[in-house]
Amino acid sequence: MASVSSGPTRRSFQSAKTMASASTGSRVSCGRDLNCVPEVADTLAAVAKLGFDFLCMPLFHSRFRREFVLEPAKTRAGAQTRSDLLLCGRDWNTLIVGKLSPWIEADSEIETERRNSEAALAQELNFSAYLGLPVLMIPIRGPHNANLARLLLNHIHTGHHTSNFWIRVPLMAPEDMREDLIENEPHTCIDDTSVDEKTWSWWHSLRTLCDYNKRICLAIEVGADMPSEAVIDKWLGEPIKAAVLPTSIFLTNKKGFPVLSKAHQRIIFSLFKLEAQFIFTGTSRHTEKDFRSYLQYLEYLNQNRPAPNAYELFAKGYEDYLQSPLQPLMDNLESQTYEVFEKDPIKYSQYQQAVYKCLLDRVPEEQKDTNVQVLMVLGAGRGPLVNASLRAARQADRKLRVYAVEKNPNAVITLENWRFEEWGDQVTVVSCDMREWAAPEKADIIVSELLGSFGDNELSPECLDGAQHFLKDGGVSIPCSYTSFLAPLSSSKLYNEVRGCRERDKDPECHFETPYVVRLHNFHQLAEPKPCFTFTHPTKDMNNNRYQCLRFSVGCNSVLHGFAGYFETTLYKDVTLSIKPETHSPGMFSWFPILFPLKQPISISRDDYVTVRFWRCNNGKKVWYEWAVTEPSCSAIHNPAGRSYTIGL
């Protein structure tokens, strides 16, 4: 029997008592939720036989309300629940998800009930830790959970256990569910925002009280009624580890098998991407079929989900993983770094197309044998742009003289070998910083790939301005322009990743003043991206400092954790590259988005606007960004004077 996954990677264990196969990465991990478990070992064997990977069960009998305040029940003798010896330690550690007793109300307004619940909660938390359970599932049923949050946080900070806690929250509050459901009637999405955002606010209050503790995660309960797609997208930005699927939400197909509506299928496909685990609760509604049919249907959906595209395949394993942006101007890149970017199937074909169109425009057919265009590749790396330019010249049947300029002496060795083995005298290799090079002649075309995830963050403007003096009047720069874009985002996963980046001898908050390159995955983008900074080449204005104020309409209750950065570039005329989601170049993986975090999450109401102010600063020695939110409330200005992050010139 496969285990419940308590961390980001799925671990598989073989139970000594059961004969179910261990789960693989491609298989859906499913658990069975039961409210009554007469014999633990027998029930575990039975659910394993059906194909489940773990069992969700109460640790104490759900009707046994222990008394901790009043005598004589307070001192009643005897065991209050069954022995841990009924299962071996490894089974408790990997195959059981504990459930908190449903009668516990730690935030009850009745004092005796609250005190009793506090004691019972402490007892169940401690017993769960004693058993070594990977997860304890705790339901919340309303907006007031401050005392529960305090007790849970106290337990986490005072114990030496490693349990995680799944907060079970329904997507829709029970009182807001329709009662007129008819079997096989399609379920409509509710569109009353005050109703369908209600339970999210319960969860948001609890996790905020718990200070975004990484061990407190989410188990959403998917009901028959669904909130609007915008609200579902918001839920999908939360740290969802599990989804509870009641059997009552399943419809029946013509052959009598359980199936889900299209709306439910959409959320299931999204949960597959988050690698959530699924928990089936309720009795079988399809009594003529084995309970396995529910699991088989989910596995069928998993096998038939849309295949990952080239970008998703490349990014596998890098989801929400923070990386420092490259600084190729200050640092010499390694061979493997060049190799990764050279594998991009789209970028260089677009560059080739841009050079091809440019050559056709600049050299008329009647001059193709006499007009030799001078093309300079600035930042040639290991030569992919040189090769793309030579291919374009052959394709256009135009003559070309190429200079490959590269400051990295290690990459120059590769370029010299290319010249010796293939390029010949058509290419001149120059080992020099483009800003310091005294060019022997002026260029008709300069080609560069100096763009970072935010467009200008690898100092393309400064480099190309420094090289512009050897471009002929009327000469062409490829790319000719690029624009950065920003969008507000919510992601407690990314907020926690940044918070966990602390280093010795550095200010604890400096990581919140640093941009990160990251494959955004478990996040919710709160608004469409808006253009931030634009640079064009060649240019007469060499001042590359910028200041931009952007205002976004959010339209839902949420929490702001930072901003996602993207870029679009025009290589030549209609030949473009983009990492902006709406216009992303299909199959291109050379750039992940960039993240600008915020030190403190900012709560947003649906009627609020988010205003962010962004600065690009250059003092002649280095470049840096500063950013601040000024609406709906003010944040501190992040990274003033480049105190935490700069890009060296």
Side-chain angles (χ1 to χ4, degrees), residues 172-467:
M172 299 281 292
E175 63 269 20
D176 297 324
M177 301 282 269
R178 282 168 49 201
E179 294 179 1
D180 60 339
L181 281 180
I182 301 167
E183 190 171 3
N184 284 358
E185 183 189 68
H187 306 321
T188 55
C189 288
I190 310 296
D191 205 28
D192 179 352
T193 46
S194 62
V195 167
D196 64 4
E197 292 190 293
K198 183 193 290 185
T199 58
W200 178 86
S201 67
W202 302 351
W203 154 252
H204 176 52
S205 298
L206 180 91
R207 62 94 175 271
T208 304
L209 288 162
C210 293
D211 194 26
Y212 287 81
N213 193 287
K214 287 174 86 166
R215 286 166 60 184
I216 297 172
C217 303
L218 187 56
I220 57 169
E221 185 169 346
V222 182
D225 288 350
M226 300 276 279
S228 66
E229 285 194 28
V231 173
I232 289 172
D233 285 344
K234 180 166 70 171
W235 278 110
L236 293 169
E238 300 296 346
I240 298 173
K241 295 295 181 190
V244 180
L245 305 178
T247 52
S248 58
I249 69 171
F250 285 82
L251 310 174
T252 306
N253 69 8
K254 290 177 183 175
K255 294 184 178 178
F257 286 98
V259 292
L260 288 170
S261 70
K262 286 281 190 282
H264 284 101
Q265 287 179 40
R266 275 195 295 274
I267 193 169
I268 297 295
F269 285 135
S270 299
L271 291 166
F272 285 153
K273 286 188 175 180
L274 293 179
E275 296 189 352
Q277 296 178 278
F278 294 89
I279 300 166
F280 288 87
T281 187
T283 186
S284 175
R285 302 295 179 114
H286 300 75
T287 48
E288 294 171 13
K289 306 295 178 188
D290 195 309
F291 204 95
R292 282 190 190 88
S293 58
Y294 291 99
L295 277 80
Q296 288 163 351
Y297 176 68
L298 207 63
E299 192 54 53
Y300 165 78
L301 289 182
N302 182 42
Q303 296 302 328
N304 288 278
R305 61 172 155 165
N309 58 35
Y311 178 74
E312 289 169 333
L313 285 171
F314 174 79
K316 187 71 180 160
Y318 285 94
E319 293 89 351
D320 296 324
Y321 175 74
L322 303 179
Q323 302 175 76
S324 294
L326 292 173
Q327 298 212 16
L329 201 58
M330 201 164 67
D331 307 323
N332 287 327
L333 301 183
E334 296 175 349
S335 179
Q336 289 91 333
T337 308
Y338 288 119
E339 185 178 355
V340 169
F341 294 129
E342 287 165 14
K343 287 178 179 172
D344 193 304
I346 304 301
K347 180 170 66 171
Y348 296 110
S349 67
Q350 288 294 89
Y351 266 99
Q352 180 178 333
Q353 185 70 1
V355 174
Y356 167 75
K357 289 191 172 187
C358 184
L359 287 173
L360 289 181
D361 286 348
R362 292 183 67 82
V363 182
E365 181 69 24
E366 60 273 15
Q367 296 179 17
K368 69 176 188 177
D369 295 325
T370 55
N371 186 333
V372 180
Q373 291 285 293
V374 176
L375 183 145
M376 296 177 177
V377 177
L378 305 181
R382 303 197 313 176
L385 280 184
V386 178
N387 282 316
S389 301
L390 294 174
R391 285 195 302 270
R394 287 194 295 272
Q395 182 188 359
D397 193 20
R398 299 295 188 268
K399 293 197 178 308
L400 206 58
R401 183 161 62 252
V402 178
Y403 291 86
V405 184
E406 176 54 51
K407 74 165 189 63
N408 182 346
N410 305 305
V412 167
I413 293 171
T414 313
L415 294 173
E416 290 286 9
N417 277 286
W418 268 113
R419 193 181 73 82
F420 178 75
E421 292 170 14
E422 285 208 30
W423 298 337
D425 294 339
Q426 189 180 4
V427 177
T428 302
V429 176
V430 179
S431 180
C432 184
D433 187 317
M434 69 185 79
R435 295 168 296 175
E436 298 162 4
W437 181 42
E441 59 182 323
K442 290 204 170 187
D444 296 284
I445 306 167
I446 57 175
V447 183
S448 63
E449 51 172 333
L450 306 169
L451 301 180
S453 295
F454 200 50
D456 59 86
N457 65 296
E458 291 183 12
L459 307 190
S460 176
E462 284 73 16
C463 291
L464 293 180
D465 287 356

